[in-house]
Amino acid sequence: MQQNFKITGMSCAACVSRVEKAVTRLPGVTAAAVSLLTGAMRAETADSIAPDTIINAVKAAGYGCVPVSGDAPEIPETSDVSRHLKNRLFVSFALLIPLLLLVWPPPFIREFAALSPLASGIMQGIMAAAVIMVNRSIIGGGIRALFKLSPDMNSLIATGVMAGFGWSCIMLLVMADLVPAPLIPKSSAVPLYFESGAMILTLVTLGKLLESGARDKTLNSLRGLMSMNPDTAQVLKNGAEITMRAADMVPGDIFIVRPGERIPGDGTVICGSGSVNEAALTGEALPVFRETGSQVKAATVVLDGCLTCRAENTGSKTAFYRIITLLKEAQASRAPIARTADKIAGVFVPAVLTVSLVTLIAWLLSGAEAGFALNAAIAVLVISCPCALGLATPVSVVTGSGVAAKHGILFKSAAALETAGRLTAVIFDKTGTLTTGDISITAVKTLNGTAMTELLRTAYLLENKSEHPLARAATSCAEEKLRKSAAGKAEEATDSTAISDFKSFPGLGVSAVINGNIIRGGSYRFLSREIPDLPPEPEEASQSGESLLYFASGNTILGYFTAADSLRKGVRDNINELRRMGIETLMLTGDHDPAARKAALAAGISDFRAGLLPEDKAGIIRDLNKRHITAMTGDGINDAVALKTAHLGIAMGSGTAIAADAADAVILNSRLNDLVTAVKLGRAVLKNIRENLFWAFIYNALGIPLAAGCFYSLLGFQMNPVFAATAMSLSSITVVGNALRLNFFHQNNGEHQKMNITGVFKKVFERAPELQDNQILLRISGMKCEHCERAVRKSLEELPEVTAAEVSHKKGQAVLTISGEVAEDRLRTAITESGFELNSLSGKPISRT
């Protein structure tokens, strides 16, 4: 059976590991999964295991635990952990800086900081002790884990910090002549390690603060996702329409949804028809038509028409709430793929402590002086301080993350970067990932001898009155083609005075009377209903997987527009590159089969699944996880569960904030080429980490025996802790230097090389276009695509002085051809009203007012 609990008091991944171990050790418990983000724990237990047994085990591990119901997804409030960590970090830095100035005083304050060695050491000890007290939770957690025989990374930190601090305190006693010389050999160069422990604790606290901030941001995004479900519903009760809480609806209630409103529950349409945007569930940009008998889902938006529906699933039983629940469960069931540090700590820390104790006892039994034996034992602890071991992974990750950022890739954790290097399968969403996500007209086809200009002008005049996404795309396409056509005149195309009796049929199409003729535009279903004896739809068009927008005058079809979502640039080449790297590819989409098949074939993906809901995607990925290290690439809210279910979730930067927060990595520029780069970089980082771990282990394998005095009889040399500290620093420098080699990483296909080298020279030496006497050059910021260009062009050409405008979003400029002097303020206003910013302008015929 499954039991659910709420865990409190966790602050890091080590806490998660400790709770999971405490619960799975219980007889009858087969598995336990804990989410650090939500504090939720799911335990698979035998029926005989009472909740109190699990609660007591968690409390014994040092954490709070209460049973919870798993019916509704609970998103906890963001805690004040980040605030506490900020305070700890501020105090730690405030103490660390003067401590470092005492150890390494710069020349300009050296004469003012001239203290006796003993006085300086005492001040260092006081400040280091204060840092330890401020961060005592790290030390305490590591020591408790040691005593519970489950050492983790905190145990490594606590061991190293306390060994150095304890040794330094003993050295202060030597300096003060409080410890007899026979016990500790007095030296002119007395080694102190106060600053090392303080620095380690401060950096660890910084890492915990960054981790806590990421958790808070994700929780806020989850609440934003929850808010997409409407709070209220318009329900018919006893023949009257009343407003009630959507959560209070029950199956069988009749509710009404009007244009622009979100559907409050899953149900069936019993009256009305209209277009519904189901992107929250399927991710598809194209609306779907819903009529009597159609199924509707909660949190989707009615674009046009009025729907009267009978509720079937309400509250926590809706499909949308299942997405939230699955996302919460994915958070709890998802464990980091790499727990190398904890595994190493589980063997390394006990081994070092044992070696140190054995060294002390062995030298004392051999008749050596107590000071000699203690010196050797302390040297073992100092030289095995886990600096190199602790740096092996994070330094490579930090360097690799910086390189990734330069390539437009944001990794959120070390595990994400490492997983990218282990991938064996990549799953793609279609819309917004393989495709651009914007509806655009891909083709215009005339029929029955209709002139292209007539079809374009008809489409513009008719669809300009509609707000449907397909209508807006058709309007923009028709307008652009008419402007470019020698036969078409823009002013004729935009003249709508001849239109009358405009009617909209939600989800189907529109009609109007233009110059005395009845003109219709819409789906083939709409035209077949309005026009008797309509010829059958062209087979090629019906099987294309694209949406078709037909236009007819009277009973004659003039032609149709083909609307689709175009593939991103270079998709096929990138898929082939992944295949050459030994990575399998799969496309999962909520779109219908013909459109999915067409996109998959165009992208070069042989395996795809269509018509999927978010839970279907998650189920397929769970099956793949058994055989592969998987990455899911998506951009929509509906992809959030799949992004969390895969070993690595990768979101496109152009997608929703929910997807970006649910993912482990974000491709900022939304280029699939960057996905290939992410995999290559992940492999390079993984190789670098292995090299660092190798050198760290070699250092300890050689240094620990030398520090223990194993070669004393052969070499006549005992390692002084000062030398041990120097060797420890050199090992860290070796690891850091090796990690810095990642800065020379370059992906092989050359696109980024071109941007980094050729692109820079192009930007530096790019010359402004040569202007004629009647031209003006405008530098405009904020344009991203052709739609932006059209908006700017339209706004500028509305000015009577502007006869033509050539706009380029790639160059961030517009070249205007003008008929007379134009005021700068008017140009600036036109740009601002179109949603962009005018940075500069040049040209002679400009007035400033």
Side-chain angles (χ1 to χ4, degrees):
M1 63 178 290
Q2 177 178 307
Q3 299 188 48
N4 298 314
F5 299 87
K6 175 71 174 179
I7 310 297
T8 57
M10 298 186 300
S11 61
C12 65
C15 298
V16 172
S17 177
R18 198 170 296 121
V19 172
E20 289 177 346
K21 288 179 181 179
V23 175
T24 53
R25 284 173 181 164
L26 296 173
V29 177
T30 57
V34 180
S35 169
L36 181 62
L37 174 66
T38 62
M41 179 177 74
R42 188 174 68 252
E44 300 292 338
T45 68
D47 294 340
S48 59
I49 300 296
D52 287 343
T53 304
I54 295 177
I55 291 172
N56 292 334
V58 174
K59 288 183 176 179
Y63 303 92
C65 179
V66 292
V68 296
S69 168
D71 293 338
E74 177 187 357
I75 305 300
E77 293 295 326
T78 50
S79 66
D80 56 353
V81 173
S82 294
R83 181 172 56 83
H84 290 315
L85 287 172
K86 286 179 182 177
N87 294 337
R88 271 173 48 184
L89 185 63
F90 176 79
V91 175
S92 297
F93 268 118
L95 293 167
L96 178 62
I97 292 174
L99 174 56
L100 294 178
L101 291 176
L102 278 175
V103 178
W104 301 298
F108 61 90
I109 68 169
R110 187 167 295 161
E111 58 182 84
F112 300 102
L115 299 172
S116 68
L118 179 59
S120 176
I122 292 174
M123 293 182 65
Q124 292 177 40
I126 292 173
M127 285 184 280
V131 174
I132 291 174
M133 284 300 298
V134 169
N135 298 281
R136 58 188 176 276
S137 60
I138 300 174
I139 303 296
I143 293 176
R144 283 195 299 270
L146 274 177
F147 281 111
K148 293 178 182 295
L149 302 181
S150 58
D152 54 18
M153 198 62 191
N154 282 341
S155 301
L156 284 171
I157 295 167
T159 302
V161 169
M162 296 311 295
F165 184 83
W167 172 259
S168 300
C169 289
I170 294 174
M171 289 296 100
L172 283 181
L173 296 176
V174 171
M175 295 167 63
D177 293 327
L178 297 176
V179 173
L183 182 61
I184 300 293
K186 193 170 181 180
S187 170
S188 58
V190 178
L192 298 177
Y193 310 107
F194 289 124
E195 81 286 352
S196 299
M199 186 178 298
I200 290 173
L201 290 174
T202 302
L203 294 177
V204 169
T205 300
L206 174 61
K208 289 181 178 293
L209 175 60
L210 296 176
E211 183 180 356
S212 176
R215 288 202 305 272
D216 289 346
K217 184 178 180 182
T218 303
L219 288 173
N220 289 331
S221 297
L222 290 176
R223 286 190 206 92
L225 180 58
M226 291 281 290
S227 67
M228 293 183 63
N229 207 44
D231 294 328
T232 61
Q234 304 301 121
V235 181
L236 289 177
K237 293 284 188 180
N238 301 321
E241 182 178 331
I242 64 172
T243 301
M244 63 184 298
R245 292 177 67 247
D248 294 337
M249 284 199 313
V250 297
D253 281 346
I254 306 300
F255 61 87
I256 300 174
V257 190
R258 295 178 174 83
E261 296 178 349
R262 292 187 180 272
I263 297 175
D266 296 349
T268 302
V269 179
I270 60 176
C271 180
S273 63
S275 298
V276 179
N277 183 348
E278 295 187 345
L281 293 178
T282 66
E284 298 311 309
L286 291 171
V288 293
F289 177 70
R290 293 291 181 253
E291 59 184 349
T292 301
S294 299
Q295 298 293 311
V296 293
K297 301 295 182 182
T300 58
V301 183
V302 175
L303 297 178
D304 53 27
C306 181
L307 303 180
T308 303
C309 311
R310 178 180 291 106
E312 294 176 355
N313 296 314
T314 60
S316 62
K317 304 298 183 183
T318 64
F320 182 74
Y321 254 86
R322 286 202 301 273
I323 294 178
I324 308 281
T325 304
L326 287 170
L327 186 57
K328 178 187 174 186
E329 291 178 352
Q331 285 276 2
S333 63
R334 175 88 179 279
I337 191 172
R339 293 183 177 178
T340 307
D342 283 344
K343 291 178 180 178
I344 293 173
V347 177
F348 181 73
V349 176
V352 168
L353 293 174
T354 302
V355 170
S356 179
L357 182 61
V358 168
T359 298
L360 177 64
I361 296 173
W363 281 113
L364 290 175
L365 292 177
S366 69
E369 294 181 356
F372 182 95
L374 186 58
N375 191 71
I378 294 294
V380 168
L381 286 177
V382 172
I383 200 169
S384 60
C385 182
C387 290
L389 192 60
L391 287 172
T393 297
V395 173
S396 295
V397 168
V398 169
T399 307
S401 299
V403 174
K406 293 177 183 177
H407 287 78
I409 307 160
L410 174 63
F411 285 101
K412 297 185 179 180
S413 67
L417 192 52
E418 179 179 348
T419 305
R422 298 180 183 272
L423 292 178
T424 58
V426 176
I427 302 100
F428 295 93
D429 174 48
K430 180 180 79 69
T431 305
T433 304
L434 294 175
T435 65
T436 61
D438 294 325
I439 301 175
S440 59
I441 303 300
T442 58
V444 180
K445 177 74 173 179
T446 59
L447 299 173
N448 300 318
T450 304
M452 177 62 71
T453 303
E454 180 184 356
L455 174 60
L456 294 174
R457 186 177 292 111
T458 300
Y460 179 87
L461 293 174
L462 187 60
E463 298 298 347
N464 192 39
K465 295 287 186 178
S466 175
E467 292 299 322
H468 194 280
L470 267 178
R472 290 197 297 267
T475 301
S476 297
C477 175
E479 181 182 18
E480 184 174 358
K481 289 183 178 295
L482 283 170
R483 289 182 182 278
K484 293 181 179 179
S485 171
K489 296 182 179 180
E491 57 271 18
E492 293 180 9
T494 56
D495 181 12
S496 59
T497 56
I499 297 179
S500 62
D501 198 21
F502 179 86
K503 296 178 181 178
S504 176
F505 301 87
L508 294 172
V510 294
S511 70
V513 176
I514 301 178
N515 297 327
N517 297 320
I518 298 178
I519 306 297
R520 299 180 179 89
S523 65
Y524 184 83
R525 182 200 309 213
F526 172 61
L527 293 184
S528 64
R529 191 181 73 176
E530 300 291 328
I531 301 175
D533 302 324
L534 186 70
E537 186 175 18
E539 182 177 352
E540 178 182 355
S542 62
Q543 298 298 322
S544 67
E546 299 172 315
S547 295
L548 303 181
L549 184 59
Y550 288 89
F551 294 93
S553 176
N555 292 334
T556 303
I557 295 183
L558 303 178
Y560 59 85
F561 284 47
T562 301
D565 202 1
S566 57
L567 284 177
R568 292 186 182 274
K569 182 180 179 181
V571 166
R572 193 177 188 90
D573 292 338
N574 293 313
I575 297 298
N576 291 336
E577 180 69 14
L578 290 174
R579 192 176 294 115
R580 284 193 293 270
M581 296 166 64
I583 296 175
E584 296 186 15
T585 56
L586 170 67
M587 187 183 79
L588 304 179
T589 179
D591 207 352
H592 54 289
D593 188 85
R597 183 180 303 278
K598 181 175 181 179
L601 291 176
I605 299 177
S606 57
D607 192 6
F608 71 93
R609 316 287 169 80
L612 302 176
L613 291 175
E615 53 263 42
D616 300 328
K617 293 182 181 181
I620 293 172
I621 292 174
R622 274 192 290 270
D623 290 338
L624 284 173
N625 287 346
K626 300 174 183 177
R627 309 187 304 274
H628 292 282
I629 303 297
T630 61
M632 171 66 193
T633 308
D635 76 315
I637 295 171
N638 62 299
D639 297 319
V641 176
L643 289 167
K644 277 296 181 186
T645 304
H647 291 121
L648 178 67
I650 303 175
M652 307 300 282
S654 59
T656 64
I658 298 297
D661 286 323
D664 305 296
V666 180
I667 298 177
L668 301 176
N669 297 319
S670 301
R671 298 181 303 197
L672 283 186
N673 180 68
D674 292 338
L675 172 62
V676 177
T677 302
V679 176
K680 292 180 178 179
L681 180 59
R683 292 183 175 183
V685 170
L686 194 59
K687 179 181 177 182
N688 194 267
I689 290 173
R690 289 169 178 161
E691 292 170 350
N692 286 346
L693 289 173
F694 170 79
W695 287 113
F697 275 118
I698 287 295
Y699 154 76
N700 282 290
L702 296 177
I704 290 177
L706 189 61
C710 295
F711 305 107
Y712 181 73
S713 59
L714 179 63
L715 302 176
F717 167 76
Q718 183 192 25
M719 181 178 289
N720 187 288
V722 175
F723 181 79
T726 304
M728 181 183 67
S729 300
L730 289 175
S731 69
S732 300
I733 293 172
T734 301
V735 167
V736 172
N738 185 56
L740 292 177
R741 293 191 305 112
L742 288 169
N743 285 305
F744 297 102
F745 168 85
H746 292 292
Q747 52 92 15
N748 296 325
N749 58 17
E751 181 174 334
H752 286 291
Q753 294 274 15
K754 182 178 180 181
M755 285 302 296
N756 290 337
I757 300 174
T758 309
V760 170
F761 277 99
K762 183 178 179 181
K763 288 293 183 183
V764 172
F765 296 105
E766 184 177 27
R767 298 177 60 186
E770 295 184 2
L771 301 177
Q772 303 295 325
D773 291 339
N774 63 335
Q775 288 184 325
I776 301 173
L777 174 64
L778 309 181
R779 297 290 186 184
I780 304 169
S781 61
M783 297 189 296
K784 302 295 184 183
C785 62
E786 294 179 357
H787 296 288
C788 302
E789 291 179 358
R790 285 196 290 269
V792 172
R793 184 187 303 113
K794 183 177 181 180
S795 180
L796 290 172
E797 290 185 348
E798 287 179 351
L799 298 175
E801 299 90 349
V802 178
T803 58
E806 296 180 8
V807 184
S808 171
H809 72 276
K810 295 181 179 179
K811 296 181 178 180
Q813 68 179 35
V815 177
L816 307 185
T817 302
I818 58 179
S819 58
E821 188 178 85
V822 58
E824 176 183 345
D825 291 344
R826 297 183 62 198
L827 293 173
R828 191 175 300 277
T829 300
I831 298 297
T832 303
E833 289 179 350
S834 64
F836 305 96
E837 181 179 355
L838 177 62
N839 294 329
S840 64
L841 68 169
S842 57
K844 294 182 179 179
I846 305 174
S847 65
R848 300 300 172 184
T849 58

